[in-house]
Amino acid sequence: MAAQHPTPPQTPQPLLFGELVMEILSWIPAKPLTRLKLVCKSWNSIISNPHFVKLHLQRSPKNANLLVMLREISPEGEVSVVLSSVESFIRNPSSTLTAQDGCHSLGRGWVLGSCNGLVCIWDGIEDYPNDFEFHLWNPLTGFSSVKSPRLHVNKYASFGFGYDESSDGYKVAAVNLDINYTDNSWETTVEVYRFGSSSWRNIDSFPAFPLAIEEDGMYIGGTLNWLGLQNTQGGVYDWGAVTLDMLVIVSLELKSETYKQIQLPNGIDELPSHKPSLNVWGNCLYLSHDYKKTHFIVWQMKEFGDEISWTQMLKISLQHINVELLFPLFICENGDIFVLGASNGDISKIVLYDPRVNSVEHINILDKNHFAIINDYVESLVQHC
Amino acid sequence: MSGISDTERMITLKTVEGTLFDVKSSIAKDLKTVQAFIDDSDDDVTSPIPLPNVFTRELSRILDYLNNHHRFRSGIEKADEEMARYDAEFAKSMSHEELKALILAANYLNVKDLLEFLNQTVADVIQNKSVEFVRNFFGIENDYTPEEEEKLRNENEWAFNGVEQD
């Protein structure tokens, strides 16, 4: 018996679907989702709603995209930003790093970092070399926030950008280093700005000597992280006077605006010949350093905050891959591929290393004129202030 | 001690057309609406539970999905691949009308995992279609004036870059 099934009742479909629409839409990537604002006014409302935007952000694939900041190596260096999926970057780093399409020019701005699809940009101010302004930008939608109040810094300052979930706030921290050359003493002032508030606020000074003052603070798990030196005996450091036990990671919690210290991996048994480098990719913290000038080592903190979870991900002989210097450009979250720069800062030589098969691929990028910094990025419709 | 363990108990469900389905209580747990009904009843539920909003075609599909997923989860390691293949086939086997009807049934019966899977499937179907297609799919009337539509399109120009007009 071939039963013909009666069709479901003829209640108007939109009513039946009700809040299922929101659920369905939350799975759609940002660009096609935005086109669907044109379906009807109620869909426009849903898609523009901040609560929906948050749900949509939660559903976005994690660690699938990245943002490359390219800066010309010159005093007046122009900065541009390229967005890419991790997958296409790994497949062809050269094409991402030299992209003309989809490249956003930032003039003299600088990307401080990215959270929830928002990118924090800092700009210098004409005629005021020690003054800066910050704003948030969503490269997908073009949204640009109101600028922060001006910040005046000393010669040595480091910034960090991050998201504080507890207050749904986006914050910039500025670590100022003041050095007194007469008696070789130093002190720090740290200021924090939350986008949407009216001013920068002082918080406790940095609990160590900010070794990484030339680098940005690294954002992970609601904290900003810098390499620091403790027990410097008051003097300004010179790398020759540093001992291994002085090295520490200072972690600023954005929620409480207080500091914690994170120890370096136990497995580091001698002081590297250069300052190690701290980075975050795929929402993992990495520490990389040279070893006896012959090897390059990368550690990953598998569980952020748990010092026992430091794991050596890579130890590679410089000679084996025929380079003199290595620095990390990007690391895939499962440690499958390491993208390493092999010359002094510029991106002209890249090495792709796959530890699973011990394969080394040298890529020459015909561009000695830029250096690149790569950040995690997620596509979102988030706007803030 | 005698006593039928939970997993062996059978629940009977009755669809709109009056078809009866015997369902293991371990599967019925995934039909949260049904489970709530069972929990709320003081005595053991012996007579068929009527489902006034659910048709035979939909219930049959839902039970098929749940039975298979239970099988995949309780078994061997290869299950992930098999499950993914099953899910893909399951999604493909339905017309858009059937997909919509199934979502509504899964929503009514509160079958969380299946509902999420179906929502993602519909999201995949509509995401690169024209606005007109999506309106038809959901039976939605366009309530924009041509001027409003134009304005909205301009404001969101970035999203239309490289995409053909409807």
Side-chain angles (χ1 to χ4, degrees):
Chain A
M1 56 151 200
Q4 266 302 342
H5 299 294
T7 54
Q10 293 306 303
T11 321
Q13 293 187 67
L15 285 181
L16 286 176
F17 279 94
E19 65 176 45
L20 283 173
V21 166
M22 199 165 89
E23 281 294 317
I24 292 170
L25 292 180
S26 73
W27 295 106
I28 298 180
K31 196 168 167 184
L33 179 62
T34 301
R35 294 198 286 269
L36 296 179
K37 282 182 172 182
L38 265 78
V39 165
C40 64
K41 291 181 179 175
S42 119
W43 278 38
N44 188 11
S45 253
I46 293 175
I47 296 169
S48 313
N49 183 304
H51 290 292
F52 170 78
V53 167
K54 253 196 164 167
L55 173 67
H56 177 256
L57 174 67
Q58 278 161 20
R59 300 239 154 114
S60 300
K62 302 287 174 283
N63 305 329
N65 288 291
L66 48 83
L67 180 150
V68 183
M69 174 178 70
L70 291 166
R71 189 171 185 271
E72 271 178 73
I73 301 177
S74 77
E76 299 294 300
E78 291 269 311
V79 172
S80 50
V81 161
V82 176
L83 305 175
S84 165
S85 69
V86 169
E87 198 221 356
S88 63
F89 175 66
I90 298 293
R91 228 179 327 119
N92 191 347
S94 188
S95 109
T96 306
L97 293 174
T98 55
Q100 299 300 322
D101 280 343
C103 192
H104 305 261
S105 171
L106 291 186
R108 306 262 296 281
W110 181 284
V111 169
L112 186 50
S114 174
C115 289
N116 299 342
L118 288 176
V119 179
C120 181
I121 310 274
W122 58 266
D123 279 291
I125 297 176
E126 193 92 44
D127 297 334
Y128 293 89
N130 287 350
D131 283 15
F132 300 95
E133 278 173 339
F134 299 77
H135 71 273
L136 298 175
W137 170 55
N138 185 325
L140 205 60
T141 66
F143 162 79
S144 212
S145 79
V146 165
K147 291 195 180 182
S148 72
R150 246 186 221 197
L151 176 73
H152 179 84
V153 298
N154 300 328
K155 180 171 179 199
Y156 301 109
S158 168
F159 307 126
F161 168 68
Y163 175 65
D164 168 27
E165 199 170 341
S166 67
S167 62
D168 190 29
Y170 295 87
K171 294 184 176 178
V172 177
V175 178
N176 269 294
L177 172 64
D178 208 348
I179 298 182
N180 183 332
Y181 287 101
T182 349
D183 64 3
N184 253 0
S185 69
W186 57 271
E187 66 172 13
T188 63
T189 10
V190 183
E191 293 176 88
V192 171
Y193 172 70
R194 184 174 63 79
F195 280 96
S197 69
S198 55
S199 65
W200 292 83
R201 281 169 300 109
N202 269 44
I203 64 170
D204 285 346
S205 54
F206 208 69
F209 180 83
L211 185 61
I213 201 74
E214 288 127 12
E215 271 128 48
D216 300 330
M218 290 293 132
Y219 172 73
I220 181 172
T223 66
L224 288 172
N225 300 269
W226 288 265
L227 275 174
L229 287 179
Q230 49 193 353
N231 309 324
T232 56
Q233 319 269 324
V236 172
Y237 89 96
D238 111 62
W239 191 252
V242 171
T243 54
L244 196 51
D245 54 300
M246 287 162 73
L247 276 175
V248 76
I249 294 171
V250 174
S251 187
L252 170 64
E253 191 195 56
L254 290 175
K255 174 176 168 180
S256 59
E257 295 175 357
T258 59
Y259 304 93
K260 260 180 41 187
Q261 300 201 343
I262 296 179
Q263 298 307 312
L264 266 60
N266 252 334
I268 299 182
D269 50 16
E270 68 178 63
L271 190 74
S273 44
H274 304 288
K275 205 165 38 164
S277 158
L278 203 61
N279 288 287
V280 171
W281 290 298
N283 202 34
C284 275
L285 184 68
Y286 293 97
L287 182 80
S288 46
H289 62 91
D290 78 274
Y291 179 72
K292 297 195 193 295
K293 298 193 187 181
T294 56
H295 287 72
F296 177 72
I297 296 182
V298 178
W299 299 85
Q300 180 194 64
M301 194 172 217
K302 287 224 177 294
E303 294 292 323
F304 176 65
D306 181 359
E307 284 147 351
I308 303 188
S309 75
W310 279 115
T311 307
Q312 191 177 103
M313 298 281 277
L314 178 70
K315 180 173 181 177
I316 196 170
S317 137
L318 298 179
Q319 200 183 46
H320 172 62
I321 50 174
N322 218 359
V323 298
E324 280 175 22
L325 177 74
L326 275 181
F327 61 92
L329 267 176
F330 181 76
I331 299 174
C332 265
E333 66 177 306
N334 46 15
D336 283 353
I337 305 273
F338 290 77
V339 183
L340 308 167
S343 45
N344 220 337
D346 68 65
I347 49 166
S348 56
K349 288 188 200 315
I350 305 245
V351 172
L352 278 189
Y353 178 67
D354 183 346
R356 293 169 300 181
V357 295
N358 199 15
S359 74
V360 177
E361 192 188 332
H362 285 257
I363 300 179
N364 276 326
I365 297 183
L366 301 174
D367 188 343
K368 267 185 153 36
N369 300 319
H370 286 84
F371 75 78
I373 294 183
I374 298 181
N375 281 298
D376 285 346
Y377 170 72
V378 65
E379 291 187 341
S380 84
L381 297 178
V382 174
Q383 311 193 154
H384 195 83
C385 304
Chain B
M1 116 154 163
S2 79
I4 303 177
S5 75
D6 244 4
T7 45
E8 290 169 349
R9 264 192 35 221
M10 300 298 276
I11 309 284
T12 308
L13 305 174
K14 185 163 85 163
T15 66
V16 168
E17 299 100 316
T19 320
L20 298 178
F21 285 83
D22 286 329
V23 176
K24 285 195 248 191
S25 70
S26 60
I27 301 277
K29 276 192 169 46
D30 287 343
L31 306 167
K32 290 197 159 58
T33 305
V34 169
Q35 189 58 45
F37 179 88
I38 295 172
D39 292 339
D40 283 347
S41 308
D42 290 328
D43 310 310
D44 274 350
V45 177
T46 46
S47 51
I49 300 174
L51 303 174
N53 289 347
V54 184
F55 288 78
T56 301
R57 180 184 68 184
E58 275 65 55
L59 185 60
S60 170
R61 280 203 165 108
I62 291 173
L63 294 176
D64 190 55
Y65 182 90
L66 290 175
N67 279 318
N68 272 289
H69 270 238
H70 273 236
R71 201 168 51 83
F72 292 133
R73 277 202 301 265
S74 68
I76 16 75
E77 341 143 337
K78 278 272 216 104
D80 271 355
E81 268 177 45
E82 248 198 282
M83 191 156 88
R85 255 181 291 138
Y86 171 82
D87 283 356
E89 266 312 304
F90 185 82
K92 266 202 313 194
S93 71
M94 289 183 279
S95 69
H96 289 166
E97 286 313 308
E98 291 169 347
L99 182 54
K100 280 187 283 182
L102 193 60
I103 286 188
L104 295 175
N107 188 41
Y108 171 75
L109 290 170
N110 200 353
V111 191
K112 280 199 152 25
D113 286 348
L114 172 61
L115 188 56
E116 188 170 291
F117 171 68
L118 293 174
N119 286 337
Q120 289 176 24
T121 303
V122 171
D124 284 341
V125 165
I126 66 174
Q127 68 180 256
N128 286 312
K129 299 286 201 300
S130 71
V131 168
E132 201 45 49
F133 176 96
V134 178
R135 285 184 191 132
N136 287 335
F137 188 95
F138 288 96
I140 296 175
E141 289 274 334
N142 179 9
D143 55 356
Y144 288 115
T145 65
E147 294 78 29
E148 286 168 337
E149 227 184 283
E150 180 72 23
K151 179 161 180 268
L152 197 55
R153 195 178 274 266
N154 287 335
E155 279 166 10
N156 294 285
E157 198 216 326
W158 64 272
F160 291 91
N161 272 340
V163 172
E164 283 176 16
Q165 289 249 6
D166 298 343

